[in-house]
Amino acid sequence: MSFLTAENHAWRERARDVAERVVRPLAAKYDREQTYPWEIKDAIAKAGLLRVWIPKEYGGDGAGVLNLCLVVEQLSRACGGVGVMYAVNALGSFPILNGGTEAQKKKYMPLIATGEKLISFGLSEKYAGSDAQGLRCAAVPDGDSFVLNGEKKWNTNGGAANLYTVFAVTDPNSKSRRISAFLLDKDENYAGFEISKTEDKMGIRCVPVVELSFKNCRVPRGTLLGGEPGYGFKHAMMTLDMARPGVAAQGVGLAQGALEYAIVYAQKREQFGAPISSFQMVQQMLADMAMKTEAARQLVYASAHAVDEGRPDAGKLAAMAKCYATDVAMEVTTNAVQIFGGYGYMKDYPIEKYMRDAKITQIYEGTNQVQRLVIARNLIKEARQYAALEKYIPTEIQRGYNDPETLARQAAPAG
Ligand code: CAA
């Protein structure tokens, strides 16, 4: 971690303080109760952690995505649910930063920076998960308003949040300008905008995940992000490129947190007259867990740095970090449960929660299958830079199905 600056360390320490002082002691309670941890949110806001990614001109500290990731990592080390409860405010607000008008940014970003308004991101639907372009929720222009009809699924932070970035179809006949983003403030009490279901989840139980429903919901034209319809999908993709290092950091935090518990337990737990940490099979597990967690961490920091630098390969690196770090989180947390043995499987112990919290990180913000697709598409796009290698690859004329030699072979009697 030597390349981290003093500023990075300061954010990391500030988040670690909140994580150890406030989050860890309450993690089991909110996991059990599955209620929103307002006291934790207040501590996060008080420590100024919601200001990290928000530019200075909109009331934040302008500290960027790398510092955001350092905060998410520390919070997730103590509780994976709190990690995402925090990070989703960045996910929800990136569409405003990417596509909002100056007036929308000035109005809403300072409220998010202070924690006065929480935000949720509404892209997925029942029939549109990985295929985000396939969404059906419709927003029909009508005079000075849009009328929304449809549903949104898996809105993390929904119910607790006041603000919702909602993606909807504004031009069903267009291929590339079909979708637009809206910024809806629930405090405006738009008739026909309801939270229709709150999910009961395996993990990340302190943060609500809800379904939104719109029934002839009339919203002012001013809620259209950027003021121009048709740029929603592009802004959603740009948002995910910026936000995926955050989920990756959640994975690193979960892996690190589970590893630390496993190390402590392995020294405490005795079998065959010795602490299990003295057995080489356990040592190998711990070493692999630590090695993979550290590799994931370095990839997450590199991807976040690429986003902050606006590098053209930032989207590819973000997908790599998200995929790798969350796969590592699943493996490391599962192995941590293994080291705890039967106790690890029990809810009396803190470790099984890490495994449950880790699972969703492989699924949301794009499944890890989608991340691999994004990585591969980028590799293929970049292939031009390796064109000089072609001359070293032997070429051979491919034979078609009507090649005479092939046909003769097929026509020859069997045996
Ligand atoms: N940046 C900018 N523009 C982009 C882009 C990017 N990274 N990726 C694609 N685009 C543009 C393309 O240039 C193209 O533009 P034109 O039409 O003008 O040419 C357009 O978007 C369509 O691109 P594709 O043809 O590549 O799109 P696709 O339909 O093949 O889908 C996909 C690509 C990568 C599979 C995408 O649908 C995807 O990322 N799916 C996963 C969705 C996802 O991550 N959902 C997570 C929901 S949020 C969540 O989970 C949060 C939570 O709970 C915490």
Side-chain angles (χ1 to χ4, degrees), residues 84 88 91 121 123-124 129-133 154-156 175-177 209 233-234 237-238 240-241 244 247 315 363-367 370-371 373-374 377:
V84 67
V88 85
L91 173 71
F121 178 79
L123 179 64
S124 302
S130 292
D131 179 14
Q133 280 205 90
W154 318 133
N155 292 264
T156 308
K175 197 170 176 294
S176 57
R177 299 275 176 268
V209 172
F233 189 73
K234 195 176 168 57
M237 291 298 106
M238 288 164 68
L240 290 166
D241 286 347
R244 283 175 179 154
V247 183
I363 298 171
Y364 60 25
E365 289 198 30
T367 61
V370 162
Q371 308 308 318
L373 179 141
V374 170
R377 282 185 180 179

Side-chain angles (χ1 to χ4, degrees), residues 72 76 246-256 293 296 325-326 328-330 333 358 361:
V72 176
S76 305
V247 183
Q250 190 196 358
V252 172
L254 280 163
Q256 181 66 37
T293 303
T326 60
V328 164
M330 197 65 238
T333 56
T361 67

Side-chain angles (χ1 to χ4, degrees), residues 201-220:
K201 306 179 299 303
M202 171 197 279
I204 59 159
R205 285 170 58 83
C206 70
V207 59
V209 172
V210 307
E211 192 178 279
L212 307 179
S213 110
F214 298 96
K215 288 196 184 108
N216 294 322
C217 173
R218 186 174 289 274
V219 298

Side-chain angles (χ1 to χ4, degrees), residues 54-66:
I54 296 178
K56 286 189 175 146
E57 59 270 38
Y58 307 122
D61 284 314
V65 171
L66 175 54

